Amino acid sequence: MRVYLDNAATTPLDKEVFDAMAPYMLEHFGNPSSIHGHGREVRAAIEKARKTIAGLLHTSPAEIFFTSGGTEADNTAIVCTIRALGIKHAITSQLEHHAVLHTLQMLEKKGELTLNYLRHNAQGVLDLEHLEELLAQNPQTLVSVMHANNEIGNLNDVEAIGAICKKHNAVFHADTVQTMGHYRHDLQKLNANFIVGSAHKFHGPKGVGFLYADAGIKVQPLIHGGSQERNMRGGTENVYGIIGLAKALEIAYRDMDEHQQHIQGLKDRLIHKLKEQVDGLTFNGLSADADKSLYTVLSVSLPPSDITEMLLFSLDINKISASGGSACSSGANAGSHVLEALGIDPNRGNIRFSFSKYNTPEEIDYVAEKLAQLYKKVPA
Ligand code: PLP
């Protein structure tokens, strides 16, 4: 058995998604910008995909722009808001993904904005009173806060943050990469000016995503070139990626309740087994709180041990794929700015297990048993 529990890094492609994409790889190859029949049929398919996504999110197709993934969508939202609207101040948190943090820090370094970080407690819960205070002092602000943390799974109250931003006339960008396809986003209710999606996080293809940009905000392209995406993003569209993205989101919405129940069941099972079988084990952030964390992520903290350094390697040898923090970090817990910001003891071992609809209870039992063996409670 080889167990894949790194679904927050990427998910396997759904066969149904592949089947929807295949004709656009093999038969319908036209350039969507061409005005002849080959181009027009592909253009129609792209617009249908845009309509599907807009419909699921309760917004208009004119507000959906296809990108190369979550990183580009986050960059576009941030850089273009700052530059197009002349905003000089931004608020974020130390717990954001690097797609957001490094982008804002680059703008700060170039002198294009001043940046404030929201206070948070040891569990990673953001201080929304601090947000109110900062916004009261800085009327023209971009707020960029993620919906769910990719390393510890904490869900932020984006409805409350959106309402605070609205009250202070601030622009709100919510990095929804980890919740898209796992929760229902209703843009009629959520007061966000920008949200994003990345297909490979919900069983779609890699290298394609989208940005929802509020029509009330006139932003400019990040990538200059042709007039694709209504002049918002130059470059020939990733046609089969876009088809796969829309199909994957459609399936995610269609089967969401069933999959949520299945995956939450797996997560609960792992929490229960690990608590029972591994002494001194704790959970990072709000990871073990079913109401306040992503059902797809469990961040586990293990007591200091002689195997800490080799923890992920030991799991890999035991045919378990998981990660230390985010996929972009290397080593057992090295390189995780999130765990560092939470002040987690660096001598402990940290593992992020992340689940998908394809995981099974047998896999969970196998992982719990292997971890217990590594921590010596169960004989190998
Ligand atoms: N934002 C968050 C919260 C993520 O978890 C990720 C990917 O892990 C990204 C942004 C970047 O998405 P992509 O891999 O599509 O560029």
Side-chain angles (χ1 to χ4, degrees), residues 114-133:
T114 53
L115 188 56
N116 283 116
Y117 296 94
L118 284 178
R119 284 192 293 260
H120 60 81
N121 68 13
Q123 288 196 300
V125 178
L126 300 177
D127 180 347
L128 299 192
E129 280 179 21
H130 190 210
L131 177 62
E132 288 264 16
E133 273 168 42

Side-chain angles (χ1 to χ4, degrees), residues 8-9 69-72 74 97 99 146 148 150 175 177-178 198 200-201:
T71 301
E72 187 193 320
D74 283 335
H97 189 274
M146 66 207 318
N150 51 301
D175 179 347
V177 164
Q178 289 292 341
S198 179
H200 72 112
K201 306 290 188 185

